Amino acid sequence: MTLDLSALYQLYRKELVNYLTRIVYCRETAQDLVQESYLILSRAAAEQAIEQPRGFLYRTANNLALDHLRHNKVVARHVERESRDDEPETSSIEQELSQAQWLALLRQAIDELPPRCRDAFILHKVRGLSYRETAGMLGISESAVEKHIIKGLQHCRRRLGKHFSPSGF
């Protein structure tokens, strides 16, 4: 028995579209899935006899709908993850105030350092110059720069206590 796909399409298309629309919540997607179901039926019928074409169509359409929903869920998760990664970190007012207070305390602690120590500390820790560059700018040895940085860090650590984070600036 050969299948008359045109007749089957006319007979079941509308009910299959309605069935799939209730699953995927989109009539256009349901129509696409119905067409794909008929293509699969056509390929399968070319290889073997299909005893229950309506059941075959419903089972195929249902599987395609479930695959479609799974795919959409994966895509949605990926988009959500990407958008979370792309979002700038928002901070609450409390966090901004806390950061501003911390910076004010750090500035105050740095201002309390002796002038040469303060200069070395700012050049290295704030501006990011190397010990060699800092030494060159200040006309002192790299060893002296290292000692000034250690002294500056110890002072800031004492002043800011547990809130001091040398990598914070």
Side-chain angles (χ1 to χ4, degrees):
M1 173 183 134
T2 60
L3 290 178
D4 182 0
L5 287 176
S6 285
L8 285 172
Y9 186 77
Q10 293 300 320
L11 190 60
Y12 301 123
R13 182 193 60 78
K14 192 173 184 179
E15 77 180 62
L16 264 174
V17 168
N18 290 335
Y19 171 73
L20 290 178
T21 300
R22 289 190 302 272
I23 296 173
V24 297
Y25 300 109
C26 175
R27 190 157 193 82
E28 291 80 21
T29 300
Q31 290 170 341
D32 290 344
L33 294 174
V34 167
Q35 284 189 340
E36 195 171 341
S37 298
Y38 275 96
L39 287 173
I40 292 171
L41 173 66
S42 170
R43 285 188 213 117
E47 294 178 14
Q48 64 187 30
I50 306 293
E51 298 293 322
Q52 300 290 326
R54 183 175 183 270
F56 184 94
L57 281 170
Y58 267 86
R59 187 175 63 247
T60 301
N62 190 59
N63 288 341
L64 289 172
L66 293 176
D67 287 346
H68 173 79
L69 293 173
R70 279 188 213 106
H71 174 75
N72 282 354
K73 191 181 280 188
V74 168
V75 168
R77 269 193 239 127
H78 178 72
V79 167
E80 180 183 328
R81 191 174 321 125
E82 288 296 316
S83 68
R84 256 188 278 128
D85 292 345
D86 290 344
E87 278 180 14
E89 287 187 29
T90 56
S91 59
S92 68
I93 293 172
E94 293 85 15
Q95 288 172 325
E96 288 178 29
L97 285 174
S98 175
Q99 181 71 13
Q101 289 170 338
W102 182 84
L103 285 173
L105 289 172
L106 179 62
R107 271 191 209 101
Q108 184 179 359
I110 293 171
D111 286 343
E112 294 169 353
L113 293 171
R116 182 66 69 160
C117 182
R118 180 178 57 238
D119 293 343
F121 192 84
I122 290 172
L123 288 173
H124 177 69
K125 296 305 268 179
V126 178
R127 292 196 182 163
L129 298 180
S130 68
Y131 281 4
R132 176 172 286 153
E133 293 167 323
T134 302
M137 287 191 77
L138 297 177
I140 59 177
S141 69
E142 288 182 50
S143 175
V145 170
E146 183 178 3
K147 290 174 185 167
H148 286 309
I149 299 302
I150 290 169
K151 183 177 180 178
L153 287 171
Q154 288 172 340
H155 177 74
C156 289
R157 210 173 270 125
R158 275 192 308 273
R159 291 285 282 128
L160 296 169
K162 66 178 181 177
H163 303 291
F164 181 67
S165 169
S167 61
F169 55 93

